Amino acid sequence: MLEWTRGEAIGDIDTPALILDIAAAERNIRAMADRLIPGTVRLRPHVKTHKCPLLAHKQMAAGAIGVTAAKLGEAEVMIRAGIPEVLVSTPIVGRLKIERLLALSRHGVVLTVVDDACAARAISDAAARVGQKIPVLVDVDVGQRRTGVLPGEPALALGRQVATMPGLVLVGLQGYEGHLQHVEGRDERELQWRASMKKLTDTADLLRGAGLPIDIVSTGGTGTSTFALEVPGITEIQPGSYVVMDDHYGRVQGVGFEQALFVLSTVVSRTRTTDVIVDAGMKALSSDSGPPRVRGIEGARYAFAGDEHGRIEFDGEGSDLRVGDKVLLVPSHCDTTINLHDHFHVVEDDRLVEVWPIAARGRIR
């Protein structure tokens, strides 16, 4: 059982520990919500980043219309925690998952996406047998080359098929441009994004012209959310990382949110003058976007040194860190780092105020 004491200094927290600066996170939530106030684009933030119902409720209180989940298991956590509406943004395939989808849909609004007629028909048949109708969006590939039917005529053909399925209700399109989120230059990112979005909005117009009900056009992440406010035809965005941020997004120009997520580590060894060893390794920090950044120590560089350890290297003898000292690390990728931890250590003014469970951690199904 995790032991903690309210009000203890951040430097007294046992390590490695995932730290959430709640004031910064709340400012990020408010800043994103404020961007949408003047326009007609709605916010359906992605919870695959923080995986925490408490943060999802804060997003709802700030004006979100619901949340987005990457996996059905994340949606189950959110609906059971009182979030009223969830979009599952990846296709649901297979009998067991369809049964879970139908069961969950009894307790809240659960939308999902389809990019294959056979998979869509399987959901429809199961839903029709029990008298349900599942709202679905046709998933369109706008350049990421992951899920999604091709834009234009292929999307129209699938949309027409979905519209005839008795257990489904066609409500719109989704097109996620994940391949553009970390294009560092703002102008280049926007240029590529507009080309990507033209595929999506043109496809929406094509389906509407064929008489299909396309009320939702859902897209956007943290790196492109600002652009989405300026393009007619987009009705909602799905950013996730903006709540906590990470070092990878920190290199992307013009995103405009604060770093709220850290991993606190302790120096456990210093036997050389040019580096120290800390107790946060690959079990505490994800490596898919590279190493974390060392916060507040000029010229310090982190390198993974195994499952349990990291090495902080200096130029020459460039640090007076000693065994027992604490070091804050900025994760390179927030989503995957959060998934390594069971709890957020919630701090305010460098004091621990709460410990929150990361309830959707590990929900890979």
Side-chain angles (χ1 to χ4, degrees), residues 149-360:
V149 66
L150 292 176
E153 290 297 332
L156 174 59
L158 179 58
R160 281 176 165 152
Q161 292 178 77
V162 169
T164 67
M165 295 181 185
L168 303 182
V169 179
L170 178 64
V171 295
L173 300 181
Q174 172 187 268
Y176 178 52
E177 70 291 19
H179 60 301
L180 302 179
Q181 298 306 316
H182 292 94
V183 175
E184 292 187 9
R186 189 188 190 283
D187 292 344
E188 179 60 25
R189 188 168 71 257
E190 182 174 5
L191 181 66
Q192 294 186 44
W193 180 85
R194 288 186 179 277
S196 183
M197 285 302 100
K198 189 173 189 306
K199 298 176 183 178
L200 182 60
T201 55
D202 284 356
T203 299
D205 290 340
L206 180 66
L207 269 67
R208 291 190 187 104
L212 297 176
I214 305 299
D215 296 324
I216 297 173
V217 179
S218 188
T219 185
T222 295
T224 59
S225 57
T226 300
F227 309 144
L229 308 181
E230 305 168 0
V231 174
I234 294 172
T235 69
E236 63 180 46
I237 55 173
Q238 306 176 6
S241 299
Y242 76 96
V243 177
V244 295
M245 296 298 284
D246 55 34
D247 193 47
H248 198 178
Y249 264 121
R251 300 191 295 271
V252 178
Q253 296 175 3
V255 174
F257 297 100
E258 300 177 51
Q259 185 63 43
L261 185 75
F262 307 92
V263 170
L264 183 68
S265 64
T266 299
V267 177
V268 296
S269 177
R270 183 161 196 179
T271 59
R272 294 163 298 276
T273 59
T274 56
D275 63 65
V276 301
I277 301 299
V278 296
D279 62 354
M282 287 184 284
K283 288 183 178 178
L285 293 149
S286 63
S287 60
D288 54 293
S289 291
R293 175 171 54 86
V294 181
R295 188 186 192 215
I297 303 176
E298 188 70 27
R301 302 173 302 280
Y302 177 99
F304 287 99
D307 293 352
E308 321 293 348
H309 299 100
R311 180 181 297 107
I312 297 178
E313 302 169 339
F314 316 104
D315 296 325
E317 300 180 12
S319 174
D320 58 358
L321 283 176
R322 298 175 297 177
V323 170
D325 287 345
K326 299 292 177 67
V327 180
L328 276 176
L329 304 169
V330 179
S332 58
H333 187 185
C334 49
D335 302 34
T336 49
T337 292
I338 291 170
N339 199 51
L340 296 171
H341 295 262
D342 292 321
H343 302 90
F344 286 117
H345 291 74
V346 182
V347 303
E348 190 167 20
D349 296 327
D350 291 329
R351 295 277 172 179
L352 182 66
V353 293
E354 290 188 272
V355 172
W356 291 350
I358 302 172

Side-chain angles (χ1 to χ4, degrees), residues 59-89:
Q59 291 170 306
M60 294 293 297
I65 61 169
V67 301
T68 306
K71 292 296 184 79
L72 184 58
E74 294 171 349
E76 288 169 334
V77 169
M78 295 298 154
I79 291 289
R80 291 166 183 167
I83 300 298
E85 182 170 317
V86 181
L87 166 64
V88 181
S89 64

